[in-house]
Amino acid sequence: MACAPAIPRFERLARPLVLALSGGGANGAAQAGAAAELFEAGFRPDLIIGTSVGAWNGAWMAGHPDGEGGRELLRLWVDPSVRSLLRGVVRGYVGALARRRVAAFSDSHMRRIIEQSFGGRSFADLRIPLAVAAVDMISAEIEYLEEGSVSEAVLAASAIPTVLPPVRIGERMLADAGFVDNFGIVEALGRGARSIVLLDASVGALAGVPDRLTAVLGRANLVTKIHQRRHAAAAAAAAGVRLDILEVSAQGWVLDFAAAGEHIELGRRIARDWLEGIDRGLGVTHLPTPGRAVGVGAFRQSRAHAV
């Protein structure tokens, strides 16, 4: 992995430096806010790994790795076409069952937004190397897409099983890989990363007792992500690789994209806190979402990575 020139502010982050962007649905707006803040501050990774909505944010920043690119990404997030994504999911499921479809929605709306964002751009056109996670529903293998059409790769990475249909690329039937590995940390380690910054839009507080169907589904998804992240953090610790976690998971239903503006500001605040820690020379940092209890064992200023 080739290394970008070091910027003094980030010289404590050993190269190669990987930016990992998790999945998290509508919480991707907060992740975009954090990413924009980092790139405005001069942050430049050697590789971006994106999963699910993180693939969308990552593909944009890989092509526009500067402050103006970050601001443009945030403008995309508050566009009405994005804010209306995946509305009516319950009706969609009812229709899918009645008509024997494979997903609640067609991918036409998502495809249109993605193609407007990335057009005919290929991975070779990007200014920072990018790897996009997808899972092959036929072979059960995770694929990290890094050549060919950016739009098709991001569409495949966004295909949440049962919500959006899988995407055919060659002989593969690709879908969102977040239910297998939502973080890409192990992939980053395999590619030789020495520092990893994770913008995690999926893990938040274990608040309250789930008491209805949607709450139980949400809690099951959260528990899955907590355990995935524990294993990923343990792998980084075993490899002696610095892993900084910025937790940008906002409150609310992960398929509700209407609150993007509030989520963006949350992500920006968390990124600013991390940047202040970098400036003060703090060690490895896990920044939980402000004002929320963290149910997975937060750590601060420590070399202990397991969370």
Side-chain angles (χ1 to χ4, degrees), residues 44-278:
R44 297 294 182 274
D46 303 302
L47 171 68
I48 298 174
I49 296 178
T51 304
S52 192
V53 73
W56 187 359
N57 287 331
W60 182 268
M61 294 312 307
H64 310 82
D66 50 35
E68 180 52 38
R71 290 186 287 275
E72 181 61 27
L73 175 63
L74 302 188
R75 287 191 284 272
L76 289 171
W77 267 100
V78 296
D79 186 274
S81 65
V82 174
R83 290 164 61 89
S84 63
L85 268 173
L86 306 183
R87 285 184 181 169
V89 66
V90 174
R91 291 193 303 274
Y93 277 128
V94 171
L97 290 170
R99 297 175 177 82
R100 298 184 178 181
R101 299 195 306 260
V102 299
F105 300 99
S106 79
D107 64 6
S108 58
H109 188 179
M110 183 72 77
R111 182 180 290 274
R112 184 163 56 253
I113 293 171
I114 289 172
E115 289 181 348
Q116 287 172 353
S117 299
F118 303 109
R121 181 168 293 184
S122 73
F123 280 83
D125 298 323
L126 302 177
R127 292 164 61 186
I128 294 177
L130 171 72
V132 169
V135 64
D136 186 350
M137 301 293 279
I138 296 174
S139 70
E141 296 297 322
I142 294 183
E143 306 273 352
Y144 283 91
L145 308 176
E146 49 192 332
E147 59 183 22
S149 167
V150 172
S151 292
E152 284 300 300
V154 173
L155 185 65
S158 304
I160 306 169
T162 78
V163 177
L164 291 166
V167 175
R168 288 277 188 177
I169 298 181
E171 298 298 316
R172 297 168 295 180
M173 185 178 181
L174 299 178
D176 184 331
F179 69 100
V180 180
D181 180 358
N182 199 44
F183 304 107
I185 301 303
V186 173
E187 182 67 15
L189 295 173
R191 291 173 182 243
R194 298 308 305 159
S195 299
I196 303 169
V197 175
L198 169 62
L199 302 187
D200 182 6
S202 65
V203 172
L206 289 167
V209 177
D211 57 0
R212 60 189 187 280
L213 178 61
T214 54
V216 171
L217 288 171
R219 177 59 59 85
N221 180 60
L222 174 57
V223 168
T224 299
K225 300 304 186 290
I226 286 172
H227 283 274
Q228 285 185 15
R229 198 175 79 182
R230 284 176 178 167
H231 287 296
V241 171
R242 174 174 177 151
L243 171 61
D244 286 60
I245 300 173
L246 284 68
E247 197 173 277
V248 294
S249 177
Q251 298 279 11
W253 176 232
V254 295
L255 298 183
D256 180 7
F257 288 76
E262 297 173 15
H263 293 179
I264 285 169
E265 290 310 310
L266 169 68
R268 279 190 172 276
R269 290 200 306 273
I270 294 170
R272 284 196 293 268
D273 288 345
W274 182 75
L275 289 168
E276 289 175 6
I278 287 288

Side-chain angles (χ1 to χ4, degrees), residues 8-20 38 43 46 184-186 188-189 192-199 232-246 271 273-287 299-307:
R9 187 176 197 178
F10 303 106
E11 61 188 5
R12 289 176 177 269
L13 303 177
R15 300 280 176 168
L17 167 62
V18 173
L19 176 64
L38 296 185
F43 181 81
D46 303 302
I185 301 303
V186 173
L189 295 173
R194 298 308 305 159
S195 299
I196 303 169
V197 175
L198 169 62
L199 302 187
V241 171
R242 174 174 177 151
L243 171 61
D244 286 60
I245 300 173
L246 284 68
D273 288 345
W274 182 75
L275 289 168
E276 289 175 6
I278 287 288
D279 290 341
R280 295 198 305 271
L282 300 184
V284 174
T285 305
H286 172 193
L287 290 179
F299 61 88
R300 297 175 184 272
Q301 304 176 38
S302 167
R303 292 298 296 180
H305 299 275
V307 294

